[in-house]
């Protein structure tokens, strides 16, 4: 019977049908989705911290209002994604415990510190830019709830990318000190942004199966190449220099050749050894502990409502 259900599942995936929560699915497909979607959700939530760090220090009321809205959007993205993962039979508590225990990952990019105001613009430009490049194809991922979450997330993310670019534009067209600050931020965020797409395809244990299941629609290297190709002209328009001496246009392939990210650094950050990894996990643990009374009160309230309905 399982063989028949598997054949039906494979046929639906091959026909680009969405798989929905109540449909039968192979256990490994379910596990892969829980891993990817929960890690994606954790990234959005941990991703609030580097920018949250600058809300009180934004240079104007306008910039502060924009930054607050952006960080709030990231909380919203985390919540949609936790909900999408919950439809696969895992609870929010279990996902949070996996993060706090260091078992679930979150994107390497959020383990780097935000040192200057230019980092806010640069994160919007590069980090949201990389996130969109990865997430646009995920709007067609084979699992329905994940695909639908991505539609709204991508709309908000493209606003984030533009606000970031506009903030860097202001600095790049400003005083020499401001322009230097923008260049310094680009120098520090460029390589970590390329690492967001994951290890090279020939070192990516999950890509082949995830492509077959149409969970991933493009590989890590394909997306990284696209990101470089759209971002280089943006840096040129700003008058900033991408910190890669090997970056050169390759007419034959119709894209840029570029240098190799420091994969040792990537794996160290994945292992939890990133520059501010401890600080990030500490902030999440504190938020979870400080929120205990809210969760307790909500459960108590729900129990009271239930018993009143029964009475
Ligand atoms: N960081 O075999 P693969 C955002 C792990 S955007 C940490 O290639 P896969 C928006 C990987 O999990 C950022 N770990 O794995 C925002 C696996 O380990 P595992 C979030 C990484 O899953 C912007 C192992 O390495 N976006 O938050 C990373 O097929 C601004 C082997 O790798 C998403 O999560 C990494 N960079 O491909 C918020 C997108 N790369 O799990 C605030 C959805 C790889 O087996 C401010 N996710 N690993 O223990 C994906 O598309 C995929 O999961 C990849 C990895 C492409 C990230």
């Amino acid at each position: 019977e399982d063989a028949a259900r598997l054949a039906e599942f494979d046929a639906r995936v091959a026909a680009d049908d969405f798989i929905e929560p109540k449909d039968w699915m192979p256990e490994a497909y379910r596990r892969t989705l829980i891993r990817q979607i929960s890690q994606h959700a954790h990234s959005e939530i941990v991703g609030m911290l580097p920018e949250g760090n600058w809300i009180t220090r934004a240079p104007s009321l306008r910039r502060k209002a924009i930054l607050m809205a952006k960080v709030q959007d990231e909380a919203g993205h985390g919540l949609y994604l936790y909900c999408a993962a919950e439809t696969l039979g895992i609870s929010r508590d279990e996902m949070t415990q996996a993060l706090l225990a260091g078992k679930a990952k979150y994107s390497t990019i959020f383990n780097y510190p935000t040192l200057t105001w230019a980092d806010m613009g640069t994160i919007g430009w590069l980090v949201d830019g990389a996130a969109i490049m990865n997430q646009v194809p995920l709007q067609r991922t084979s699992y329905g709830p994940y695909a639908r979450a991505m539609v709204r997330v991508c709309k908000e993310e493209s606003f984030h990318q533009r606000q970031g670019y506009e903030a860097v534009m202001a600095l790049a067209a400003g005083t020499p000190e401001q322009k230097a600050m923008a260049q310094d931020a680009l120098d520090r965020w460029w390589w970590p942004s390329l690492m967001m797409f994951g290890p090279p395809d020939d070192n990516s244990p999950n890509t082949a199966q995830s492509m077959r299941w149409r969970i991933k629609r493009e590989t890590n290297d394909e997306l990284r190449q696209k990101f470089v190709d759209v971002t280089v002209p943006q840096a040129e328009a700003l008058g900033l220099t991408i910190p890669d001496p090997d970056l050169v246009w390759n007419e034959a392939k119709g894209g840029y050749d570029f240098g190799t990210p420091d994969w040792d650094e990537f794996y160290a950050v994945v292992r939890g050894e990133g520059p501010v990894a401890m600080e990030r996990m500490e902030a999440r643990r504190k938020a979870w502990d400080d929120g205990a009374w809210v969760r307790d009160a909500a459960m108590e309230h729900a129990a009271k409502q239930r018993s009143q309905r029964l009475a």
Side-chain angles (χ1 to χ4, degrees):
E1 198 203 341
D2 259 12
R5 285 194 298 196
L6 182 60
E8 191 200 331
F9 171 88
D10 286 342
R12 287 186 56 197
V13 168
D16 281 335
D17 258 8
F18 286 124
I19 305 299
E20 296 298 338
K22 296 213 159 86
D23 295 341
W24 183 87
M25 61 186 81
E27 211 32 52
Y29 175 82
R30 183 188 300 276
R31 276 201 310 274
T32 298
L33 281 168
I34 289 177
R35 175 182 64 80
Q36 178 166 328
I37 302 172
S38 69
Q39 292 185 168
H40 194 164
H42 297 325
S43 300
E44 297 281 357
I45 299 298
V46 178
M48 296 167 75
L49 297 168
E51 289 166 293
N53 177 39
W54 275 90
I55 290 174
T56 57
R57 293 176 287 168
S60 69
L61 183 59
R62 175 173 168 266
R63 295 287 182 200
K64 190 198 287 267
I66 293 171
L67 189 59
M68 275 171 63
K70 178 182 191 293
V71 173
Q72 202 170 333
D73 284 352
E74 283 150 12
H77 298 173
L79 299 186
Y80 307 142
L81 286 161
Y82 283 128
C83 290
E86 278 177 320
T87 65
L88 292 156
I90 184 168
S91 71
R92 182 86 174 266
D93 271 10
E94 288 172 284
M95 289 185 266
T96 305
Q97 292 310 335
L99 173 70
L100 298 182
K103 280 187 224 138
K105 301 187 163 80
Y106 60 90
S107 183
T108 44
I109 192 78
F110 302 119
N111 291 296
Y112 293 85
T114 41
L115 304 178
T116 71
W117 171 253
D119 290 13
M120 295 304 97
T122 306
I123 286 179
W125 173 30
L126 299 180
V127 176
D128 286 273
I132 300 168
M133 198 51 89
N134 165 278
Q135 287 168 180
V136 163
L138 289 176
Q139 295 177 106
R140 292 179 298 111
T141 190
S142 57
Y143 187 57
Y146 192 23
R148 290 187 288 274
M150 283 301 106
V151 174
R152 176 155 179 190
V153 168
C154 283
K155 287 196 179 124
E156 295 183 347
E157 221 84 280
S158 48
F159 161 73
H160 294 173
Q161 196 273 349
R162 281 164 217 206
Q163 72 79 33
Y165 192 74
E166 196 267 342
V168 181
M169 232 161 81
L171 292 173
T175 63
E177 288 82 0
Q178 287 172 323
K179 187 166 183 186
M181 189 161 74
Q183 181 63 54
D184 167 65
L186 174 57
D187 291 346
R188 284 180 291 108
W189 291 94
W190 176 252
W191 294 106
S193 297
L194 294 193
M195 293 177 195
M196 287 176 71
F197 296 96
D201 293 349
D202 52 14
N203 259 322
S204 162
N206 300 299
T207 291
Q209 182 59 63
S210 286
M211 293 289 287
R212 277 197 290 278
W213 276 328
R214 304 200 178 176
I215 291 174
K216 284 168 95 161
R217 308 299 311 234
E218 289 177 60
T219 72
N220 301 357
D221 285 332
E222 284 165 1
L223 293 170
R224 192 170 10 251
Q225 178 72 52
K226 280 193 179 175
F227 174 74
V228 171
D229 292 344
V230 305
T231 309
V232 172
Q234 294 171 352
E236 280 167 3
L238 291 167
L240 298 178
T241 308
I242 290 189
D244 179 358
D246 297 325
L247 186 71
V248 55
W249 177 254
N250 179 330
E251 188 62 40
K253 82 172 180 188
Y256 287 89
D257 289 334
F258 54 96
T260 309
D262 180 346
W263 293 116
D264 291 340
E265 174 181 322
F266 168 77
Y267 287 113
V269 179
V270 171
R271 283 196 305 273
E273 296 163 19
V276 294
M278 303 264 273
E279 208 175 309
R280 297 290 184 244
M281 289 307 290
E282 195 42 47
R284 288 317 309 151
R285 248 178 244 117
K286 183 173 183 315
W288 182 250
D289 293 345
D290 290 353
W293 72 271
V294 180
R295 294 190 299 277
D296 290 346
M299 293 306 281
E300 198 59 42
H301 180 70
K304 211 183 272 177
Q305 297 285 306
R306 217 167 22 243
S307 65
Q308 275 169 4
R309 265 201 309 276
L310 292 175

